[in-house]
Amino acid sequence: MTTSGRYATHEVLNQVPPLAGHDVADDAALLAALHREGGGWAEPELHELGELAGTAETQEHARLANVHKPVLRTHDARGYRIDEVEFHPSWHYLMATAVSHGLHAAPWADERPGAHVARAAKFLVWTQAEAGHGCPISMTYASLPALRHAPELAATYEPLLTAPVYDPGLRPWHAKAGMLAGMAMTEKQGGSDVRANTTSAAPAGDGSYLLTGHKWFCSAPMCDVFLVLAQAPEGLTCFLLPRVLPDGTRNTMYIQRLKDKLGNTSNASSEVEYDHAVAWRVGEPGRGVRTIINMVSATRLDCVLGSAAAIRQATVLAANYARQRRSFGATLIDHPAMIGVIADLALESEAATTLALRLAGAADRAARGDPAEAALLRVALPAAKFWVCKRTPLITAEALECLGGNGYVEDYSSLPRLLRDAPLNSIWEGSGNVTALDVLRALARTPDSADALLAEIDLAAGDPRVAAAATRLRAELKEAAGGGQEAEAQARRLAAQITVVLQAALLIRHAPAAVADAYAHTRLEGGPSAAGPATPFGALPAGLDLPAIAARVGPVAPGR
Ligand SMILES: Cc1cc2nc3c(=O)[nH]c(=O)nc-3n(C[C@H](O)[C@H](O)[C@H](O)COP(=O)(O)OP(=O)(O)OC[C@H]3O[C@@H](n4cnc5c(N)ncnc54)[C@H](O)[C@@H]3O)c2cc1C
C-alpha cells in the first residue's frame, strides 16, 4: 500500500492489512470434530457466528469492551448503596450475541444429541472475538448441573438461565426474561483449599439461610444469581444467592472493589461482602464441595475450549502475517525457520481443538447417561485443563513474535490482548498443581477412569508410537493410582503425558497424515521432555510435510 506524499520514504510498504471479514469457523479440524462428535446439525449457525466474529465491527467491540474497563458504582447520587457495575455498550453487544446463540446454559434445555458439542464449537468460535465475556457465559452454562441438586430452585431458575435472552439489570427473577449465574468460592485466605472458607450460613428458620462473610474473587458480580460456598452448622455447604430478592429488594451483597488485572479487563472481577445475605441451600448440607464440583467440572471444559480458541486465533494471526510479510526477498512463511514455527503452532492448535471437542462430546454423552464417557471425562478433563491451558501463554507469545515488533503493538492486532488473557484459564477453576492433583484423585476414586482413558487411546494403537506410549502410560497410571508424595511430585508430568498421548491418539485417527505423523513423531517419540518447555516451538525435525501442516490454518476464507 502507498500513501501519497512528497517523499518516497513516506510510502507505506510491506505492512499486512488487518485480518477481518473472514469466517472464524472456517477451521477444518473444528468442523470435522463438530460432525464426528454429533453436533454437525449446528454447522450453519457456526458459520453465521464465525462470520460475525470475523467482522471488523465485532473486533472493534472487543477492543472497546477492554479499553473501557467496567466501573463500580457503590452508591447512587443520593448516597444509597446500589453496588452496580457499569459496562461499555460493546460488552453488552458481546454478551447479547453470546446469549442469543445459546452459548450460556441453552444446551441444558435442548434434547438434541450433540447440543453440548454444538455449544462447545460455538463457544470456541465466538470467544475468538473476545475472551473476557466468556466468564459469565461459562459460569451460567456450568451452574445448571449443580443447581439441579435443588429441584425446587431449579424449577424457578432453570427456564430463565437457559432462555436465549440477554436481559441485563438487577431485578427479581419474576421480572426477568433471562438470567445469568456466577460462582463465589474463593476467599482471602485461599481459593484452592475451599474447606478453609470462613463465610458462615445461619439457618433463618424459614428454609433460607443468612450468609455473612466475604469472597476475594467474584467475577461478573452483575450476574443475577451465584452459587456460593459457606459454612452451615453441618459444614461447608453450597447455596444459591440472588442479587435481588423475590420481593424486589436488593440482597445484602456488597461489591467492595473491582480487581485491577493483568488481562481479562472487559470482565468485572470483584471482591464482595455478605451481611446476612439471603440464600437457599443447594444439595446436601455439609456436602458443598461435592455439589459445586459439578459446576467446577463444566467450567473446566470451557477453560479447555477457551484455551483452544486462543491457540487457534493466535496461530491464524501468525500464519496470516507470515503469508504476507516479506523479509530478505521472500515471504516470511517461505523461510525454513518460519514455516517450522507456523507448522508447530498449527500442530498445537489442531491437537487442542480436536481434544476439546472430544471432551465436549464426552460431556454431551455423559449428560445423557453414558458411564464410560463420564469416566473418560473424569480423568481426561483435569489433565487437559492442566496441559492445554498451560501451553496457551507459550503459544500465544510465540505467535506474537511471528509479527516481530508489530506483534507487540496494541492496535496492530489482538495478540497483545490474547497474551495478557492467556494465563487465566490455567489459574481459575483449579490452578495448575491443583488440577494435576485432581488427576490423581480421579485415578484413585474412579478406577474406571483409567480404563476408559486407555480404551480411548488404544483405538489408535495400530500406530506403533501410540502403542508404545500407551504401554508406558498404563504403567504410570497404575503407579499414580496409589497416591502418596511421589505420585504428587509427578502429578504435573502425568497430566501432561495423559493429554499428549490422548491428543496423539485422536490425531492419528482423525487428522490428515501430515499432522498426525508430525505430532506423534515430535511429541511422543522424544519422550516426556519433547512436550515440555525445554523444546522451543519451531524445532521440528527434518522430513515432515510442513506446508501441509501450515495449510491447516488457512488462508482463512472470507465470510460469505
Ligand atoms: C480473574 C480471576 C477471576 C476469578 N473469578 C473467580 C470467581 O468468580 N469465583 C471464585 O470463586 N474464584 C474466582 N477466582 C479465583 C480463582 O479460582 C483462584 O485464584 C484459584 O482457585 C487459586 O486460588 P488462590 O488464588 O487462593 O491460590 P492458592 O490456593 O493460594 O494457591 C496458590 C498456588 O499454590 C498451588 N497449590 C495450592 N494447593 C496446592 C497443593 N496442595 N499442592 C501443590 N500446589 C498447591 C496452586 O496451584 C497455586 O498455584 C478468580 C481468579 C482470577 C484471577
Side-chain angles (χ1 to χ4, degrees):
M1 273 306 286
T2 306
T3 303
S4 60
R6 284 192 297 151
Y7 311 105
T9 53
H10 287 196
E11 279 187 33
V12 177
L13 300 170
N14 201 24
Q15 290 288 359
V16 175
L19 178 60
H22 60 297
D23 177 3
V24 174
D26 177 29
D27 175 345
L30 175 66
L31 293 173
L34 175 75
H35 284 272
R36 206 165 49 237
E37 301 296 338
W41 46 266
E43 189 179 335
E45 192 188 351
L46 192 68
H47 285 298
E48 192 189 310
L49 207 52
E51 288 174 10
L52 195 57
T55 62
E57 187 195 3
T58 296
Q59 292 180 25
E60 181 63 358
H61 281 304
R63 189 187 72 79
L64 290 170
N66 281 275
V67 169
H68 300 283
K69 295 183 187 180
V71 177
L72 173 61
R73 307 262 179 238
T74 52
H75 297 78
D76 72 5
R78 305 287 175 274
Y80 294 101
R81 255 205 109 116
I82 53 170
D83 297 281
E84 292 190 15
V85 179
E86 205 173 85
F87 291 94
H88 188 273
S90 289
W91 166 268
H92 294 298
Y93 164 84
L94 295 165
M95 289 292 292
T97 307
V99 173
S100 65
H101 284 274
L103 271 60
H104 64 316
W108 299 107
D110 191 340
E111 298 283 307
R112 286 174 291 182
H116 293 272
V117 177
R119 181 260 169 199
K122 287 190 281 182
F123 186 84
L124 204 154
V125 163
W126 180 246
T127 52
Q128 288 181 58
E130 203 277 330
H133 77 292
C135 172
I137 296 296
S138 288
M139 290 196 291
T140 305
Y141 172 65
S143 68
L144 263 291
L147 182 62
R148 285 178 177 178
H149 286 259
E152 277 182 29
L153 293 174
T156 302
Y157 290 100
E158 187 164 331
L160 290 159
L161 292 167
T162 55
V165 182
Y166 179 56
D167 185 11
L170 296 182
R171 296 189 302 284
W173 67 266
H174 46 80
K176 300 223 47 162
M179 293 182 107
L180 296 170
M183 176 195 336
M185 298 193 295
T186 307
E187 297 189 356
K188 294 186 185 90
Q189 70 280 356
S192 307
D193 185 7
V194 289
R195 288 184 197 280
N197 276 7
T198 61
T199 296
S200 68
D206 61 356
S208 68
Y209 287 74
L210 299 177
L211 269 53
T212 302
H214 72 279
K215 296 292 166 183
W216 186 232
F217 279 96
C218 177
S219 280
M222 290 305 283
C223 285
D224 300 284
V225 290
F226 298 85
L227 289 183
V228 179
L229 286 182
Q231 302 286 357
E234 299 86 350
L236 197 65
T237 302
C238 181
F239 294 92
L240 181 86
L241 187 149
R243 287 238 35 206
V244 181
L245 297 172
D247 67 4
T249 56
R250 296 206 174 176
N251 210 351
T252 46
M253 167 181 145
Y254 302 121
I255 307 174
Q256 300 300 95
R257 57 177 171 165
L258 300 185
K259 301 283 195 189
D260 186 8
K261 297 175 289 182
L262 167 68
N264 188 251
T265 45
S266 63
N267 185 33
S269 302
S270 68
E271 298 164 18
V272 301
E273 288 197 5
Y274 308 123
D275 181 2
H276 296 85
V278 177
W280 290 274
R281 182 163 57 77
V282 178
E284 290 176 48
R287 309 299 294 272
V289 174
R290 175 176 272 234
T291 305
I292 211 163
I293 201 72
N294 295 285
M295 183 170 186
V296 173
S297 176
T299 46
R300 282 183 180 173
L301 175 61
D302 275 16
C303 291
V304 180
L305 289 164
S307 293
I311 291 171
R312 166 76 186 174
Q313 190 188 355
T315 305
V316 166
L317 285 166
N320 177 65
Y321 191 85
R323 287 198 175 98
Q324 298 180 71
R325 178 84 164 183
R326 294 178 66 79
S327 78
F328 299 98
T331 48
L332 291 180
I333 202 158
D334 291 329
H335 292 298
M338 181 56 94
I339 192 164
V341 176
I342 300 294
D344 217 359
L345 298 179
L347 290 179
E348 289 287 336
S349 179
E350 185 139 358
T353 296
T354 305
L355 176 59
L357 266 283
R358 175 66 186 91
L359 296 175
D364 192 83
R365 291 181 281 276
R368 290 165 218 287
D370 184 329
E373 291 288 275
L376 172 66
L377 199 63
R378 179 64 193 93
V379 67
L381 181 54
K385 174 10 178 136
F386 172 78
W387 184 244
V388 175
C389 299
K390 203 152 278 300
R391 290 298 260 180
T392 310
L394 300 176
I395 293 166
T396 313
E398 194 66 63
L400 182 150
E401 194 177 318
C402 291
L403 276 69
N406 289 333
Y408 208 66
V409 174
E410 290 287 343
D411 62 358
Y412 204 94
S413 77
S414 55
L415 278 161
R417 190 175 76 232
L418 269 178
L419 183 58
R420 282 193 299 273
D421 288 350
L424 185 53
N425 279 324
S426 185
I427 293 171
W428 59 17
E429 314 306 342
S431 306
N433 286 350
V434 169
T435 315
L437 292 172
D438 192 42
V439 171
L440 299 185
R441 201 169 301 114
L443 295 172
R445 296 191 187 166
T446 318
D448 291 357
S449 61
D451 296 339
L453 172 70
L454 291 166
E456 177 75 17
I457 292 168
D458 279 346
L459 294 173
D463 183 284
R465 295 161 297 192
V466 173
T471 303
R472 287 196 298 270
L473 188 61
R474 185 169 273 113
E476 291 188 29
L477 290 170
K478 209 169 170 188
E479 209 167 300
Q485 296 275 317
E486 186 49 33
E488 285 196 21
Q490 297 300 323
R492 279 178 166 245
R493 210 179 63 81
L494 183 65
Q497 283 301 97
I498 289 172
T499 312
V500 170
V501 178
L502 183 54
Q503 286 180 324
L506 289 169
L507 293 180
I508 291 288
R509 287 166 60 208
H510 306 305
V515 172
D517 273 346
Y519 193 86
H521 187 45
T522 53
R523 270 68 170 174
L524 294 183
E525 292 196 311
S529 66
T535 309
F537 291 110
L540 296 173
L544 300 176
D545 187 352
L546 302 186
I549 299 168
R552 298 292 280 176
V553 279
V556 280
R560 282 157 293 158

